[in-house]
């Protein structure tokens, strides 16, 4: 089982217009490919709530820093097509970088404040790249609803602010994190982990749980919560970048070898 792939904005517009002509609502799942069960959950939710569902697969160069993993980010379009077809998608939109950013491109979207904190502090320009491509994708697809995973909590919050601030006519639907049996949040970047790193990786979720215990103590403060996450990671092989509280969620990022993992839990 597979789904058709459209590669250009023009072909996309024709496809979506045909759906609209039949009175069907459109759900959109933006991704960078190398899809897993977490993405399948987004597609399934969209397929439940919309007449048609389209998934974009685009590794967005704008959201990677100069020393990050853009070049080696996993690309697996044939497998992605099969996965999204099984989850109920109707098409994949997989534009080239040239189609997305033609020569002369020079307009960017910046959601101020939150974009510079937490992950943004360590990945300057990352959320500007995310907001810019997501706004472009929204304009290209013109869906009714868009589906995002809560694993990227900060991304979700920034995009919600963008939608509100720019009066965009789309509803963002948050979908809960999908985890492996041992607690590791699913991520395309988990493919980078060596077998030993994979065994160590669930320590991040466990450390967040330790932070949550601390948060429930009577005199806990943001600093003591962060400190308990750091302490819980001692000896695990994970190097904590930050652990911070945002809207009642505890967010963290840590390096395991060269792989950067992020996760969050509700407090
Ligand atoms: O979450 C992702 O996979 C990406 O940041 C997104 C939203 C597809 C934009 O490139």
């Amino acid at each position: 089982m597979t789904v058709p792939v459209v590669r250009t904005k023009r072909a996309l517009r024709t496809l979506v217009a045909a759906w609209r002509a039949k009175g069907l609502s459109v759900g959109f799942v933006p991704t960078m490919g190398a899809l897993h069960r977490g993405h399948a959950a987004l597609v399934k939710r969209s397929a439940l709530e919309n007449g048609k569902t389209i998934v974009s697969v685009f590794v967005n160069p704008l959201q990677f820093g100069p020393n990050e993993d853009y070049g080696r980010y996993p690309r697996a379009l044939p497998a992605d097509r099969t996965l999204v077809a099984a989850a109920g998608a109707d098409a994949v939109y997989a534009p080239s970088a040239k189609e997305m950013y033609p020569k002369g491109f020079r307009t960017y979207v910046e959601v101020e404040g939150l974009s510079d904190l937490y992950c943004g502090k360590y990945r300057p320009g990352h959320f500007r790249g995310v907001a810019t491509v997501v706004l472009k994708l929204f304009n290209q697809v013109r869906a009714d609803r868009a589906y995002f995973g809560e694993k990227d909590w900060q991304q979700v919050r920034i995009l919600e602010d963008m939608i509100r601030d720019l009066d965009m006519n789309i509803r963002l639907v948050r979908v809960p994190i999908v985890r492996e049996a041992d607690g590791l949040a699913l991520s395309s970047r988990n493919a980078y982990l060596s077998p030993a790193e994979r065994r160590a990786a669930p320590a991040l979720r466990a450390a967040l749980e330790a932070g949550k215990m601390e948060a429930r103590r009577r005199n806990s403060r943001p600093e003591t919560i962060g400190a308990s996450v750091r302490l819980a990671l001692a000896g695990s092989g994970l190097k904590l970048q930050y652990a911070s509280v945002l809207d009642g969620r505890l967010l963290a990022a840590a390096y395991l070898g060269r792989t950067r993992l992020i996760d969050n839990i509700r407090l």
Side-chain angles (χ1 to χ4, degrees):
M1 191 162 52
T2 190
V3 287
V5 179
V6 290
R7 300 260 181 199
T8 62
K9 291 177 249 186
R10 206 189 159 110
L12 173 71
R13 211 165 295 141
T14 307
L15 178 72
V16 175
W19 292 343
R20 292 268 180 224
K22 290 185 190 151
L24 297 168
S25 63
V26 178
F28 174 43
V29 181
T31 81
M32 297 208 299
L35 305 180
H36 48 65
R37 286 184 291 114
H39 296 108
L42 304 178
V43 174
K44 283 180 187 160
R45 176 82 181 267
S46 173
L48 267 180
E49 296 180 352
N50 300 280
K52 293 283 181 186
T53 290
I54 185 153
V55 179
S56 65
V57 172
F58 178 65
V59 185
N60 174 33
L62 266 194
Q63 68 188 75
F64 290 82
N67 299 316
E68 293 186 349
D69 54 345
Y70 175 67
R72 67 186 186 109
Y73 196 86
R75 288 156 171 91
L77 192 57
D80 290 346
R81 285 175 74 181
T82 312
L83 181 140
V84 302
D90 298 284
V92 163
Y93 173 45
S96 65
K98 219 167 139 197
E99 180 75 5
M100 189 60 76
Y101 302 116
K103 203 161 169 277
F105 177 86
R106 57 190 171 84
T107 305
Y108 300 87
V109 182
E110 187 117 24
V111 179
E112 291 184 349
L114 188 50
S115 295
D116 299 324
L117 304 175
Y118 316 116
C119 284
K121 187 168 159 199
Y122 300 94
R123 303 188 70 190
H126 169 67
F127 288 115
R128 176 191 200 237
V130 170
T132 301
V133 81
V134 170
L135 182 132
K136 282 174 67 69
L137 286 164
F138 283 179
N139 281 341
Q140 291 166 8
V141 177
R142 294 171 185 258
D144 299 284
R145 299 178 192 84
Y147 295 79
F148 290 85
E150 289 185 343
K151 186 173 84 62
D152 298 301
W153 185 266
Q154 189 178 0
Q155 168 172 282
V156 165
R157 286 283 291 93
I158 286 170
L159 295 175
E160 286 171 345
D161 287 356
M162 178 185 82
I163 290 169
R164 182 200 60 210
D165 291 351
L166 300 182
D167 308 307
M168 299 174 73
N169 192 18
I170 190 161
R171 202 167 87 71
L172 188 153
V173 180
R174 299 174 176 188
V175 179
I177 298 176
V178 179
R179 297 181 182 279
E180 302 282 8
D182 60 10
L184 177 64
L186 295 192
S187 162
S188 306
R189 289 191 168 95
N190 293 351
Y192 296 150
L193 300 173
S194 69
E197 288 171 341
R198 173 63 190 81
R199 286 193 293 278
L204 183 56
R205 158 69 171 320
L208 286 172
E209 293 292 346
K212 184 171 177 168
M213 297 280 282
E214 172 60 26
R216 286 184 172 172
R217 284 159 56 101
R218 190 197 283 252
N219 294 322
S220 75
R221 285 172 288 119
E223 311 87 76
T224 59
I225 298 169
S228 62
V229 174
R230 193 170 293 279
L231 189 66
L233 283 179
S236 68
L238 278 99
K239 289 198 177 65
L240 187 68
Q241 210 168 43
Y242 74 86
S244 304
V245 179
L246 168 65
D247 330 309
R249 304 281 298 194
L250 178 56
L251 277 51
Y255 269 96
L256 189 48
R258 287 172 69 200
T259 306
R260 187 173 182 276
L261 301 176
I262 61 170
D263 200 349
N264 68 83
I265 58 171
R266 195 203 314 230
L267 288 180

